[in-house]
């Protein structure tokens, strides 16, 4: 991945400045995922400065790209932090919600097929499809591996849809569920999870997934390592560093570098619109698939599962789980499904990194 020199300040460059300014505006004025969109927006400005030393081979942006994007370190660092912030107890106490996390990845594989049908080669189609996980680091990891030329539009699309989760998901939740289904109350009486099980979980998952889907090992292992730091209870200082300093620094550098790759000559292309559309399709289908599977569980269990919980089976943690609670309480303010939704949400986070690994394996085998 190289950052090309901008020869002059032309109309395309001015348009990229406007796009960068729009991202900054959305981050500040609308507070749409500001920790992501603010550095990306500023990175767009830096990457499109004509003849800037930062874009030269030894410049700051080029070095950051070489260090953190080409080596895929920035996404992996962020996964350590995510793992250190997650609590898998709701999932471990109700393992059935792992099925919702699996159902929430259906859109990824459907989009893979659709992207190949509209003309994208398999490597690019897989990179676009993983946008449906609504997981920026996974999207960057996969696209860096197989389609670095599409890294900028894929990353911006993934993070943009992450910021739009509160806008996109609730209408789908209401459309695909009935009022009676949204009113279903789920009693939260979780089985106690022994500390030994919570500590063993990240170790077992790393080994099992690493053996079955080796390509996903870096993603799963970093996520589980963060979880192990937290659940061990013996390294609070490392847990704090992983969930704060490491995550924040990686997010800053990742945002700046991704934004700087949004060059006018490569970003202002028709395929960018296709990526936006396919990413939205993948996101919507993941949400709908989770809801429909939630409806199936509601039938099988005799009305003991609120189908809304299925919408949380994506990787937008913890935002999607909180949205499920909000939509449920629109019908009944005393209805509390948050812990169930968090179980599905953590399953979705784990499912997304496994799906990313499956795509990596699939492209490697067929490529």
């Amino acid at each position: 991945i190289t950052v090309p020199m901008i020869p002059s300040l032309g109309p395309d460059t001015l348009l990229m400045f406007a796009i960068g300014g729009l991202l900054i505006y959305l981050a500040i004025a609308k507070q749409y995922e500001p920790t992501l969109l603010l550095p990306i927006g500023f990175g767009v400005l830096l990457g499109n400065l004509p003849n800037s030393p930062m874009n030269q081979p030894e410049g700051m942006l080029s070095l950051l790209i070489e260090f953190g994007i080409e080596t895929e370190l920035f996404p992996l660092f962020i996964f350590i932090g995510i793992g250190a912030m997650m609590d898998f107890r709701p999932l471990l106490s109700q393992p059935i919600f792992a099925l919702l996390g699996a159902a929430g990845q259906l859109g990824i594989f459907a989009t893979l097929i659709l992207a190949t049908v509209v003309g994208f080669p398999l490597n690019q189609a897989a990179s676009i499809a993983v946008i449906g996980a609504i997981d920026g680091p996974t999207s960057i990891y996969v696209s860096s591996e197989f389609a670095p030329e599409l890294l900028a539009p894929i990353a911006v699309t993934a993070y943009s849809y992450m910021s739009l989760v509160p806008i996109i998901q609730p209408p789908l939740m209401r459309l695909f569920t009935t009022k009676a289904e949204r009113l279903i109350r789920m009693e939260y009486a979780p089985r106690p999870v022994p500390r030994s099980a919570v500590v063993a979980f990240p170790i077992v998952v790393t080994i099992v997934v690493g053996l079955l889907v080796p390509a996903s090992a870096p993603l799963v292992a970093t996520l589980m390592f963060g979880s192990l730091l937290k659940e061990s209870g013996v390294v609070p200082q490392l847990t704090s560093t992983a969930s704060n300093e490491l995550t924040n620094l990686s997010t800053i550098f990742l945002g700046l570098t991704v934004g700087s790759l949004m060059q006018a000559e490569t970003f202002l292309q028709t395929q960018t619109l296709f990526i936006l559309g396919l990413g939205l399709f993948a996101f919507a289908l993941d949400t709908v698939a989770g809801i429909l599977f939630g409806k199936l569980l509601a039938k099988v269990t005799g009305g003991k599962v609120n189908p809304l919980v299925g919408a949380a089976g994506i990787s937008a943690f913890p935002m999607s789980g909180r949205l499920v609670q909000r939509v449920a309480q629109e019908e009944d303010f005393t209805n509390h499904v948050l812990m169930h939704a968090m179980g599905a949400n953590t399953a979705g986070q784990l499912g997304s990194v496994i799906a990313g690994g499956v795509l990596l394996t699939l492209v490697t085998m067929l490529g």
Side-chain angles (χ1 to χ4, degrees), residues 49-82:
L49 287 175
N51 303 313
S52 170
M54 288 185 293
N55 297 322
Q56 295 178 1
E58 298 301 321
M60 180 188 76
L61 294 175
S62 295
L63 292 176
L64 286 175
I65 289 170
E66 181 180 354
F67 170 76
I69 301 298
E70 292 182 355
T71 63
E72 300 162 349
L73 283 177
F74 288 158
L76 297 180
F77 286 164
I78 290 175
F79 267 118
I80 294 175
I82 293 173

PDB file of all heavy atoms in Angstrom, residues 49-82:
ATOM      1  N   LEU A  49      -3.524  16.494   0.719  1.00  0.00           N
ATOM      2  CA  LEU A  49      -2.741  17.727   0.619  1.00  0.00           C
ATOM      3  C   LEU A  49      -1.752  17.596  -0.542  1.00  0.00           C
ATOM      4  O   LEU A  49      -0.988  16.626  -0.603  1.00  0.00           O
ATOM      5  CB  LEU A  49      -1.983  17.988   1.923  1.00  0.00           C
ATOM      6  CG  LEU A  49      -2.804  18.453   3.126  1.00  0.00           C
ATOM      7  CD1 LEU A  49      -1.915  18.534   4.356  1.00  0.00           C
ATOM      8  CD2 LEU A  49      -3.443  19.813   2.846  1.00  0.00           C
ATOM      9  N   PRO A  50      -1.730  18.546  -1.462  1.00  0.00           N
ATOM     10  CA  PRO A  50      -0.816  18.439  -2.608  1.00  0.00           C
ATOM     11  C   PRO A  50       0.654  18.434  -2.168  1.00  0.00           C
ATOM     12  O   PRO A  50       1.086  19.298  -1.408  1.00  0.00           O
ATOM     13  CB  PRO A  50      -1.134  19.696  -3.433  1.00  0.00           C
ATOM     14  CG  PRO A  50      -2.495  20.118  -2.981  1.00  0.00           C
ATOM     15  CD  PRO A  50      -2.582  19.731  -1.539  1.00  0.00           C
ATOM     16  N   ASN A  51       1.390  17.418  -2.618  1.00  0.00           N
ATOM     17  CA  ASN A  51       2.839  17.345  -2.415  1.00  0.00           C
ATOM     18  C   ASN A  51       3.255  17.440  -0.948  1.00  0.00           C
ATOM     19  O   ASN A  51       4.294  18.021  -0.620  1.00  0.00           O
ATOM     20  CB  ASN A  51       3.540  18.437  -3.222  1.00  0.00           C
ATOM     21  CG  ASN A  51       3.220  18.348  -4.709  1.00  0.00           C
ATOM     22  OD1 ASN A  51       3.281  17.267  -5.285  1.00  0.00           O
ATOM     23  ND2 ASN A  51       2.833  19.459  -5.307  1.00  0.00           N
ATOM     24  N   SER A  52       2.448  16.874  -0.077  1.00  0.00           N
ATOM     25  CA  SER A  52       2.775  16.938   1.348  1.00  0.00           C
ATOM     26  C   SER A  52       3.898  15.954   1.682  1.00  0.00           C
ATOM     27  O   SER A  52       3.869  14.805   1.239  1.00  0.00           O
ATOM     28  CB  SER A  52       1.537  16.596   2.178  1.00  0.00           C
ATOM     29  OG  SER A  52       1.885  16.436   3.538  1.00  0.00           O
ATOM     30  N   PRO A  53       4.895  16.371   2.467  1.00  0.00           N
ATOM     31  CA  PRO A  53       5.960  15.440   2.886  1.00  0.00           C
ATOM     32  C   PRO A  53       5.423  14.237   3.660  1.00  0.00           C
ATOM     33  O   PRO A  53       6.059  13.189   3.694  1.00  0.00           O
ATOM     34  CB  PRO A  53       6.857  16.308   3.772  1.00  0.00           C
ATOM     35  CG  PRO A  53       6.582  17.709   3.338  1.00  0.00           C
ATOM     36  CD  PRO A  53       5.130  17.734   2.952  1.00  0.00           C
ATOM     37  N   MET A  54       4.250  14.400   4.299  1.00  0.00           N
ATOM     38  CA  MET A  54       3.687  13.282   5.064  1.00  0.00           C
ATOM     39  C   MET A  54       3.337  12.099   4.180  1.00  0.00           C
ATOM     40  O   MET A  54       3.262  10.961   4.640  1.00  0.00           O
ATOM     41  CB  MET A  54       2.443  13.738   5.838  1.00  0.00           C
ATOM     42  CG  MET A  54       2.735  14.628   7.028  1.00  0.00           C
ATOM     43  SD  MET A  54       1.256  15.028   7.984  1.00  0.00           S
ATOM     44  CE  MET A  54       0.358  16.023   6.810  1.00  0.00           C
ATOM     45  N   ASN A  55       3.096  12.375   2.880  1.00  0.00           N
ATOM     46  CA  ASN A  55       2.702  11.315   1.962  1.00  0.00           C
ATOM     47  C   ASN A  55       3.884  10.710   1.208  1.00  0.00           C
ATOM     48  O   ASN A  55       3.689   9.819   0.383  1.00  0.00           O
ATOM     49  CB  ASN A  55       1.685  11.865   0.949  1.00  0.00           C
ATOM     50  CG  ASN A  55       0.410  12.328   1.624  1.00  0.00           C
ATOM     51  OD1 ASN A  55      -0.051  11.712   2.567  1.00  0.00           O
ATOM     52  ND2 ASN A  55      -0.153  13.438   1.162  1.00  0.00           N
ATOM     53  N   GLN A  56       5.082  11.217   1.458  1.00  0.00           N
ATOM     54  CA  GLN A  56       6.266  10.677   0.806  1.00  0.00           C
ATOM     55  C   GLN A  56       6.687   9.370   1.480  1.00  0.00           C
ATOM     56  O   GLN A  56       6.243   9.065   2.594  1.00  0.00           O
ATOM     57  CB  GLN A  56       7.390  11.706   0.845  1.00  0.00           C
ATOM     58  CG  GLN A  56       7.087  12.966   0.025  1.00  0.00           C
ATOM     59  CD  GLN A  56       8.191  13.998   0.107  1.00  0.00           C
ATOM     60  OE1 GLN A  56       9.203  13.785   0.763  1.00  0.00           O
ATOM     61  NE2 GLN A  56       7.987  15.120  -0.569  1.00  0.00           N
ATOM     62  N   PRO A  57       7.534   8.577   0.817  1.00  0.00           N
ATOM     63  CA  PRO A  57       7.890   7.260   1.358  1.00  0.00           C
ATOM     64  C   PRO A  57       8.363   7.264   2.803  1.00  0.00           C
ATOM     65  O   PRO A  57       8.110   6.306   3.529  1.00  0.00           O
ATOM     66  CB  PRO A  57       8.989   6.786   0.399  1.00  0.00           C
ATOM     67  CG  PRO A  57       8.641   7.450  -0.901  1.00  0.00           C
ATOM     68  CD  PRO A  57       8.084   8.792  -0.525  1.00  0.00           C
ATOM     69  N   GLU A  58       9.048   8.300   3.223  1.00  0.00           N
ATOM     70  CA  GLU A  58       9.524   8.356   4.601  1.00  0.00           C
ATOM     71  C   GLU A  58       8.665   9.269   5.474  1.00  0.00           C
ATOM     72  O   GLU A  58       9.057   9.607   6.597  1.00  0.00           O
ATOM     73  CB  GLU A  58      10.990   8.828   4.646  1.00  0.00           C
ATOM     74  CG  GLU A  58      11.962   7.901   3.929  1.00  0.00           C
ATOM     75  CD  GLU A  58      11.946   6.491   4.507  1.00  0.00           C
ATOM     76  OE1 GLU A  58      11.846   6.349   5.740  1.00  0.00           O
ATOM     77  OE2 GLU A  58      12.029   5.527   3.711  1.00  0.00           O
ATOM     78  N   GLY A  59       7.517   9.680   4.959  1.00  0.00           N
ATOM     79  CA  GLY A  59       6.646  10.560   5.712  1.00  0.00           C
ATOM     80  C   GLY A  59       5.843   9.835   6.774  1.00  0.00           C
ATOM     81  O   GLY A  59       5.774   8.596   6.796  1.00  0.00           O
ATOM     82  N   MET A  60       5.204  10.596   7.644  1.00  0.00           N
ATOM     83  CA  MET A  60       4.487  10.018   8.770  1.00  0.00           C
ATOM     84  C   MET A  60       3.403   9.047   8.328  1.00  0.00           C
ATOM     85  O   MET A  60       3.297   7.925   8.841  1.00  0.00           O
ATOM     86  CB  MET A  60       3.852  11.130   9.613  1.00  0.00           C
ATOM     87  CG  MET A  60       3.073  10.603  10.834  1.00  0.00           C
ATOM     88  SD  MET A  60       2.136  11.883  11.701  1.00  0.00           S
ATOM     89  CE  MET A  60       0.738  12.096  10.597  1.00  0.00           C
ATOM     90  N   LEU A  61       2.580   9.457   7.358  1.00  0.00           N
ATOM     91  CA  LEU A  61       1.469   8.608   6.956  1.00  0.00           C
ATOM     92  C   LEU A  61       1.948   7.317   6.296  1.00  0.00           C
ATOM     93  O   LEU A  61       1.405   6.236   6.553  1.00  0.00           O
ATOM     94  CB  LEU A  61       0.549   9.380   5.999  1.00  0.00           C
ATOM     95  CG  LEU A  61      -0.183  10.574   6.624  1.00  0.00           C
ATOM     96  CD1 LEU A  61      -0.960  11.333   5.569  1.00  0.00           C
ATOM     97  CD2 LEU A  61      -1.111  10.117   7.739  1.00  0.00           C
ATOM     98  N   SER A  62       2.965   7.425   5.453  1.00  0.00           N
ATOM     99  CA  SER A  62       3.504   6.229   4.799  1.00  0.00           C
ATOM    100  C   SER A  62       4.076   5.259   5.824  1.00  0.00           C
ATOM    101  O   SER A  62       3.910   4.039   5.707  1.00  0.00           O
ATOM    102  CB  SER A  62       4.573   6.619   3.781  1.00  0.00           C
ATOM    103  OG  SER A  62       4.014   7.375   2.727  1.00  0.00           O
ATOM    104  N   LEU A  63       4.767   5.790   6.827  1.00  0.00           N
ATOM    105  CA  LEU A  63       5.344   4.920   7.854  1.00  0.00           C
ATOM    106  C   LEU A  63       4.255   4.253   8.687  1.00  0.00           C
ATOM    107  O   LEU A  63       4.368   3.074   9.041  1.00  0.00           O
ATOM    108  CB  LEU A  63       6.282   5.733   8.754  1.00  0.00           C
ATOM    109  CG  LEU A  63       7.575   6.237   8.088  1.00  0.00           C
ATOM    110  CD1 LEU A  63       8.364   7.120   9.053  1.00  0.00           C
ATOM    111  CD2 LEU A  63       8.427   5.066   7.620  1.00  0.00           C
ATOM    112  N   LEU A  64       3.203   5.000   9.011  1.00  0.00           N
ATOM    113  CA  LEU A  64       2.102   4.410   9.768  1.00  0.00           C
ATOM    114  C   LEU A  64       1.399   3.314   8.968  1.00  0.00           C
ATOM    115  O   LEU A  64       0.999   2.280   9.516  1.00  0.00           O
ATOM    116  CB  LEU A  64       1.095   5.488  10.172  1.00  0.00           C
ATOM    117  CG  LEU A  64       1.516   6.434  11.305  1.00  0.00           C
ATOM    118  CD1 LEU A  64       0.470   7.525  11.506  1.00  0.00           C
ATOM    119  CD2 LEU A  64       1.729   5.665  12.605  1.00  0.00           C
ATOM    120  N   ILE A  65       1.242   3.545   7.666  1.00  0.00           N
ATOM    121  CA  ILE A  65       0.617   2.534   6.813  1.00  0.00           C
ATOM    122  C   ILE A  65       1.474   1.275   6.781  1.00  0.00           C
ATOM    123  O   ILE A  65       0.971   0.149   6.910  1.00  0.00           O
ATOM    124  CB  ILE A  65       0.406   3.095   5.391  1.00  0.00           C
ATOM    125  CG1 ILE A  65      -0.695   4.154   5.403  1.00  0.00           C
ATOM    126  CG2 ILE A  65       0.057   1.975   4.404  1.00  0.00           C
ATOM    127  CD1 ILE A  65      -0.811   4.938   4.123  1.00  0.00           C
ATOM    128  N   GLU A  66       2.774   1.468   6.622  1.00  0.00           N
ATOM    129  CA  GLU A  66       3.680   0.321   6.571  1.00  0.00           C
ATOM    130  C   GLU A  66       3.698  -0.438   7.895  1.00  0.00           C
ATOM    131  O   GLU A  66       3.695  -1.675   7.918  1.00  0.00           O
ATOM    132  CB  GLU A  66       5.093   0.793   6.226  1.00  0.00           C
ATOM    133  CG  GLU A  66       6.111  -0.328   6.120  1.00  0.00           C
ATOM    134  CD  GLU A  66       7.497   0.175   5.778  1.00  0.00           C
ATOM    135  OE1 GLU A  66       7.648   1.388   5.511  1.00  0.00           O
ATOM    136  OE2 GLU A  66       8.435  -0.641   5.782  1.00  0.00           O
ATOM    137  N   PHE A  67       3.673   0.319   8.999  1.00  0.00           N
ATOM    138  CA  PHE A  67       3.773  -0.325  10.311  1.00  0.00           C
ATOM    139  C   PHE A  67       2.473  -0.974  10.748  1.00  0.00           C
ATOM    140  O   PHE A  67       2.472  -2.109  11.249  1.00  0.00           O
ATOM    141  CB  PHE A  67       4.199   0.706  11.364  1.00  0.00           C
ATOM    142  CG  PHE A  67       4.101   0.200  12.774  1.00  0.00           C
ATOM    143  CD1 PHE A  67       5.048  -0.670  13.277  1.00  0.00           C
ATOM    144  CD2 PHE A  67       3.047   0.573  13.610  1.00  0.00           C
ATOM    145  CE1 PHE A  67       4.959  -1.164  14.581  1.00  0.00           C
ATOM    146  CE2 PHE A  67       2.944   0.095  14.902  1.00  0.00           C
ATOM    147  CZ  PHE A  67       3.907  -0.775  15.387  1.00  0.00           C
ATOM    148  N   GLY A  68       1.353  -0.281  10.581  1.00  0.00           N
ATOM    149  CA  GLY A  68       0.110  -0.747  11.190  1.00  0.00           C
ATOM    150  C   GLY A  68      -0.915  -1.342  10.259  1.00  0.00           C
ATOM    151  O   GLY A  68      -1.749  -2.144  10.694  1.00  0.00           O
ATOM    152  N   ILE A  69      -0.875  -0.987   8.961  1.00  0.00           N
ATOM    153  CA  ILE A  69      -1.880  -1.490   8.026  1.00  0.00           C
ATOM    154  C   ILE A  69      -1.343  -2.678   7.238  1.00  0.00           C
ATOM    155  O   ILE A  69      -1.970  -3.740   7.175  1.00  0.00           O
ATOM    156  CB  ILE A  69      -2.340  -0.378   7.058  1.00  0.00           C
ATOM    157  CG1 ILE A  69      -2.925   0.793   7.844  1.00  0.00           C
ATOM    158  CG2 ILE A  69      -3.365  -0.927   6.074  1.00  0.00           C
ATOM    159  CD1 ILE A  69      -4.153   0.460   8.646  1.00  0.00           C
ATOM    160  N   GLU A  70      -0.169  -2.517   6.642  1.00  0.00           N
ATOM    161  CA  GLU A  70       0.393  -3.623   5.860  1.00  0.00           C
ATOM    162  C   GLU A  70       0.700  -4.831   6.744  1.00  0.00           C
ATOM    163  O   GLU A  70       0.580  -5.973   6.300  1.00  0.00           O
ATOM    164  CB  GLU A  70       1.654  -3.157   5.133  1.00  0.00           C
ATOM    165  CG  GLU A  70       1.364  -2.132   4.029  1.00  0.00           C
ATOM    166  CD  GLU A  70       2.621  -1.713   3.295  1.00  0.00           C
ATOM    167  OE1 GLU A  70       3.727  -2.141   3.694  1.00  0.00           O
ATOM    168  OE2 GLU A  70       2.507  -0.946   2.331  1.00  0.00           O
ATOM    169  N   THR A  71       1.095  -4.580   7.966  1.00  0.00           N
ATOM    170  CA  THR A  71       1.343  -5.690   8.903  1.00  0.00           C
ATOM    171  C   THR A  71       0.077  -6.125   9.625  1.00  0.00           C
ATOM    172  O   THR A  71       0.098  -7.136  10.337  1.00  0.00           O
ATOM    173  CB  THR A  71       2.378  -5.274   9.961  1.00  0.00           C
ATOM    174  OG1 THR A  71       1.841  -4.186  10.732  1.00  0.00           O
ATOM    175  CG2 THR A  71       3.686  -4.840   9.316  1.00  0.00           C
ATOM    176  N   GLU A  72      -1.012  -5.339   9.483  1.00  0.00           N
ATOM    177  CA  GLU A  72      -2.319  -5.613  10.102  1.00  0.00           C
ATOM    178  C   GLU A  72      -2.280  -5.517  11.625  1.00  0.00           C
ATOM    179  O   GLU A  72      -3.138  -6.067  12.316  1.00  0.00           O
ATOM    180  CB  GLU A  72      -2.827  -6.999   9.667  1.00  0.00           C
ATOM    181  CG  GLU A  72      -2.992  -7.115   8.157  1.00  0.00           C
ATOM    182  CD  GLU A  72      -3.058  -8.548   7.672  1.00  0.00           C
ATOM    183  OE1 GLU A  72      -2.769  -9.451   8.473  1.00  0.00           O
ATOM    184  OE2 GLU A  72      -3.379  -8.762   6.492  1.00  0.00           O
ATOM    185  N   LEU A  73      -1.305  -4.791  12.156  1.00  0.00           N
ATOM    186  CA  LEU A  73      -1.166  -4.692  13.608  1.00  0.00           C
ATOM    187  C   LEU A  73      -2.255  -3.833  14.244  1.00  0.00           C
ATOM    188  O   LEU A  73      -2.754  -4.171  15.324  1.00  0.00           O
ATOM    189  CB  LEU A  73       0.215  -4.139  13.970  1.00  0.00           C
ATOM    190  CG  LEU A  73       1.389  -5.102  13.874  1.00  0.00           C
ATOM    191  CD1 LEU A  73       2.693  -4.391  14.197  1.00  0.00           C
ATOM    192  CD2 LEU A  73       1.191  -6.292  14.809  1.00  0.00           C
ATOM    193  N   PHE A  74      -2.619  -2.712  13.599  1.00  0.00           N
ATOM    194  CA  PHE A  74      -3.601  -1.824  14.220  1.00  0.00           C
ATOM    195  C   PHE A  74      -4.928  -2.531  14.496  1.00  0.00           C
ATOM    196  O   PHE A  74      -5.455  -2.438  15.615  1.00  0.00           O
ATOM    197  CB  PHE A  74      -3.820  -0.578  13.359  1.00  0.00           C
ATOM    198  CG  PHE A  74      -2.676   0.397  13.370  1.00  0.00           C
ATOM    199  CD1 PHE A  74      -2.509   1.304  12.333  1.00  0.00           C
ATOM    200  CD2 PHE A  74      -1.750   0.416  14.407  1.00  0.00           C
ATOM    201  CE1 PHE A  74      -1.453   2.209  12.333  1.00  0.00           C
ATOM    202  CE2 PHE A  74      -0.686   1.306  14.419  1.00  0.00           C
ATOM    203  CZ  PHE A  74      -0.540   2.204  13.371  1.00  0.00           C
ATOM    204  N   PRO A  75      -5.506  -3.258  13.522  1.00  0.00           N
ATOM    205  CA  PRO A  75      -6.745  -3.978  13.839  1.00  0.00           C
ATOM    206  C   PRO A  75      -6.574  -5.000  14.952  1.00  0.00           C
ATOM    207  O   PRO A  75      -7.464  -5.157  15.810  1.00  0.00           O
ATOM    208  CB  PRO A  75      -7.110  -4.669  12.509  1.00  0.00           C
ATOM    209  CG  PRO A  75      -6.418  -3.874  11.461  1.00  0.00           C
ATOM    210  CD  PRO A  75      -5.151  -3.384  12.097  1.00  0.00           C
ATOM    211  N   LEU A  76      -5.437  -5.682  14.982  1.00  0.00           N
ATOM    212  CA  LEU A  76      -5.222  -6.697  16.019  1.00  0.00           C
ATOM    213  C   LEU A  76      -5.057  -6.054  17.394  1.00  0.00           C
ATOM    214  O   LEU A  76      -5.550  -6.584  18.399  1.00  0.00           O
ATOM    215  CB  LEU A  76      -3.999  -7.543  15.673  1.00  0.00           C
ATOM    216  CG  LEU A  76      -4.114  -8.364  14.379  1.00  0.00           C
ATOM    217  CD1 LEU A  76      -2.835  -9.153  14.135  1.00  0.00           C
ATOM    218  CD2 LEU A  76      -5.317  -9.294  14.417  1.00  0.00           C
ATOM    219  N   PHE A  77      -4.375  -4.918  17.456  1.00  0.00           N
ATOM    220  CA  PHE A  77      -4.255  -4.193  18.726  1.00  0.00           C
ATOM    221  C   PHE A  77      -5.640  -3.812  19.250  1.00  0.00           C
ATOM    222  O   PHE A  77      -5.927  -3.918  20.448  1.00  0.00           O
ATOM    223  CB  PHE A  77      -3.408  -2.933  18.554  1.00  0.00           C
ATOM    224  CG  PHE A  77      -1.934  -3.199  18.402  1.00  0.00           C
ATOM    225  CD1 PHE A  77      -1.089  -2.211  17.922  1.00  0.00           C
ATOM    226  CD2 PHE A  77      -1.385  -4.422  18.745  1.00  0.00           C
ATOM    227  CE1 PHE A  77       0.278  -2.444  17.786  1.00  0.00           C
ATOM    228  CE2 PHE A  77      -0.023  -4.660  18.609  1.00  0.00           C
ATOM    229  CZ  PHE A  77       0.809  -3.670  18.130  1.00  0.00           C
ATOM    230  N   ILE A  78      -6.501  -3.355  18.333  1.00  0.00           N
ATOM    231  CA  ILE A  78      -7.853  -2.943  18.740  1.00  0.00           C
ATOM    232  C   ILE A  78      -8.641  -4.139  19.259  1.00  0.00           C
ATOM    233  O   ILE A  78      -9.417  -4.021  20.227  1.00  0.00           O
ATOM    234  CB  ILE A  78      -8.575  -2.263  17.565  1.00  0.00           C
ATOM    235  CG1 ILE A  78      -7.926  -0.902  17.277  1.00  0.00           C
ATOM    236  CG2 ILE A  78     -10.066  -2.085  17.868  1.00  0.00           C
ATOM    237  CD1 ILE A  78      -8.481  -0.191  16.069  1.00  0.00           C
ATOM    238  N   PHE A  79      -8.428  -5.306  18.660  1.00  0.00           N
ATOM    239  CA  PHE A  79      -9.140  -6.495  19.138  1.00  0.00           C
ATOM    240  C   PHE A  79      -8.715  -6.877  20.552  1.00  0.00           C
ATOM    241  O   PHE A  79      -9.521  -7.387  21.332  1.00  0.00           O
ATOM    242  CB  PHE A  79      -8.922  -7.664  18.184  1.00  0.00           C
ATOM    243  CG  PHE A  79      -9.987  -7.773  17.132  1.00  0.00           C
ATOM    244  CD1 PHE A  79      -9.679  -7.647  15.791  1.00  0.00           C
ATOM    245  CD2 PHE A  79     -11.304  -7.980  17.494  1.00  0.00           C
ATOM    246  CE1 PHE A  79     -10.669  -7.735  14.828  1.00  0.00           C
ATOM    247  CE2 PHE A  79     -12.302  -8.068  16.546  1.00  0.00           C
ATOM    248  CZ  PHE A  79     -11.978  -7.947  15.196  1.00  0.00           C
ATOM    249  N   ILE A  80      -7.455  -6.659  20.886  1.00  0.00           N
ATOM    250  CA  ILE A  80      -7.040  -6.910  22.272  1.00  0.00           C
ATOM    251  C   ILE A  80      -7.841  -6.026  23.218  1.00  0.00           C
ATOM    252  O   ILE A  80      -8.344  -6.482  24.254  1.00  0.00           O
ATOM    253  CB  ILE A  80      -5.527  -6.657  22.444  1.00  0.00           C
ATOM    254  CG1 ILE A  80      -4.723  -7.672  21.631  1.00  0.00           C
ATOM    255  CG2 ILE A  80      -5.131  -6.743  23.921  1.00  0.00           C
ATOM    256  CD1 ILE A  80      -3.220  -7.423  21.654  1.00  0.00           C
ATOM    257  N   GLY A  81      -7.988  -4.761  22.854  1.00  0.00           N
ATOM    258  CA  GLY A  81      -8.755  -3.841  23.682  1.00  0.00           C
ATOM    259  C   GLY A  81     -10.225  -4.205  23.763  1.00  0.00           C
ATOM    260  O   GLY A  81     -10.841  -4.119  24.831  1.00  0.00           O
ATOM    261  N   ILE A  82     -10.806  -4.618  22.643  1.00  0.00           N
ATOM    262  CA  ILE A  82     -12.212  -5.026  22.651  1.00  0.00           C
ATOM    263  C   ILE A  82     -12.413  -6.217  23.584  1.00  0.00           C
ATOM    264  O   ILE A  82     -13.361  -6.267  24.375  1.00  0.00           O
ATOM    265  CB  ILE A  82     -12.681  -5.364  21.227  1.00  0.00           C
ATOM    266  CG1 ILE A  82     -12.699  -4.114  20.348  1.00  0.00           C
ATOM    267  CG2 ILE A  82     -14.072  -6.003  21.255  1.00  0.00           C
ATOM    268  CD1 ILE A  82     -12.993  -4.384  18.894  1.00  0.00           C
TER     269      ILE A  82
END
